[in-house]
Amino acid sequence: MKKIQIFSISLGFLIVFLLGLGANVLFFNDESIEVYANNNMETIVIDAGHGGYDVGCIALDGTQEKDITLDIALSTGELLEETGYNVVYTRTSDNVSWPEDNKEYLQSRIDIAEDADANYYISIHINSSDYNDGASGYETYVDFNDDEMVEMAESIHAQLKLLNYAQDRGVVDTNETPLYVVSNNSIPALLLEVGFITDTNDFNYMVNNGDDLAQAIANGIMNSIETEEISKEV
């Protein structure tokens, strides 16, 4: 019995020591389910586009972009958190305290990421167009000089494509189409437009299948990070 106690104490000290070094520690519970403890995971900022007084684009039935993006953003963040990533949200409700000056308002979102010393900044938005021009699909804006973020955007698109809900409009270079939260961000960033609120099929899918979109976005992010980490180890 004493030997067992000594072993348990020693194991406890070993685990604490390894965690202190930022190591991945593998535990086994009574049902032999593997549980990982990692205190050195990346910090990902999830930015739900618009919010508060800024409603974003509006559907024919009055649904506002800010509400759809918030639902998808929170679900995406929850999935990342469940996997062990540190997640910071620019907002978790419709109550915001940002200034109504557009530049200051967007900078406030960036400040959240920079204050968190985040590794990645993912902004989720919804597109709009004239209702009669047939525009639909998802697209992502990213700085083409940032290879890692381009790969993450492509990874997210690969997952969205599996849902088969809309056309892939591709990845767009913010050096040609500047967007403040990407172009002025010191944190590696991308802005994803998950669909067109003005397209009936896109709109219905975004409203009714937000969890599927969140899973695809989370999978794309995680696959990209894991691929990047493997390439660094080789």
Side-chain angles (χ1 to χ4, degrees):
M1 182 66 68
K2 289 183 179 180
K3 290 182 178 179
I4 294 175
Q5 291 174 338
I6 291 172
F7 174 76
S8 299
I9 294 172
S10 299
L11 179 59
F13 279 119
L14 176 60
I15 290 169
V16 172
F17 174 72
L18 289 173
L19 288 175
L21 294 177
N24 291 327
V25 180
L26 177 60
F27 297 95
F28 292 90
N29 65 14
D30 292 337
E31 298 178 351
S32 296
I33 298 175
E34 298 180 354
V35 181
Y36 289 90
N38 191 341
N39 66 345
N40 195 32
M41 296 290 278
E42 287 84 351
T43 296
I44 302 172
V45 170
I46 301 295
D47 172 37
H50 306 281
Y53 59 84
D54 177 12
V55 302
C57 51
I58 304 174
L60 281 176
D61 68 353
T63 300
Q64 298 174 338
E65 176 184 359
K66 66 175 183 177
D67 296 323
I68 304 175
T69 60
L70 181 60
D71 287 342
I72 296 173
L74 293 177
S75 296
T76 301
E78 183 179 351
L79 291 166
L80 292 170
E81 288 174 320
E82 289 174 354
T83 310
Y85 289 94
N86 302 309
V87 177
V88 175
Y89 301 88
T90 57
R91 67 185 180 98
T92 56
S93 71
D94 195 39
N95 297 318
V96 298
S97 58
W98 300 317
E100 295 194 26
D101 177 86
N102 187 58
K103 183 177 179 180
E104 292 181 14
Y105 151 70
L106 294 174
Q107 184 61 47
S108 296
R109 294 176 183 265
I110 293 175
D111 291 343
I112 292 172
E114 293 178 340
D115 290 344
D117 194 23
N119 299 96
Y120 306 99
Y121 181 99
I122 312 298
S123 189
I124 299 174
H125 284 253
I126 295 170
N127 229 327
S128 67
S129 185
D130 293 332
Y131 276 93
N132 60 358
D133 69 1
S136 65
Y138 50 89
E139 59 189 1
T140 300
Y141 293 82
V142 64
D143 181 352
F144 275 22
N145 292 319
D146 190 335
D147 292 339
E148 184 177 3
M149 293 310 292
V150 171
E151 290 176 3
M152 182 176 289
E154 292 173 346
S155 178
I156 293 172
H157 277 228
Q159 293 296 314
L160 292 174
K161 189 173 183 178
L162 296 175
L163 298 178
N164 197 31
Y165 74 98
Q167 66 172 316
D168 184 346
R169 296 171 61 90
V171 179
V172 182
D173 186 3
T174 54
N175 291 298
E176 298 180 2
T177 308
L179 293 177
Y180 194 94
V181 295
V182 177
S183 302
N184 295 80
N185 206 330
S186 66
I187 308 300
L190 62 79
L191 186 149
L192 168 66
E193 303 269 12
V194 294
F196 278 75
I197 203 168
T198 47
D199 178 77
T200 301
N201 291 330
D202 283 9
F203 172 69
N204 288 335
Y205 194 90
M206 290 185 291
V207 170
N208 298 312
N209 302 88
D211 287 343
D212 292 337
L213 289 168
Q215 185 70 69
I217 296 167
N219 286 347
I221 294 169
M222 292 186 289
N223 289 347
S224 177
I225 293 174
E226 291 169 4
T227 300
E228 179 68 17
E229 289 176 347
I230 292 173
S231 67
K232 289 179 180 178
E233 293 174 358
V234 175

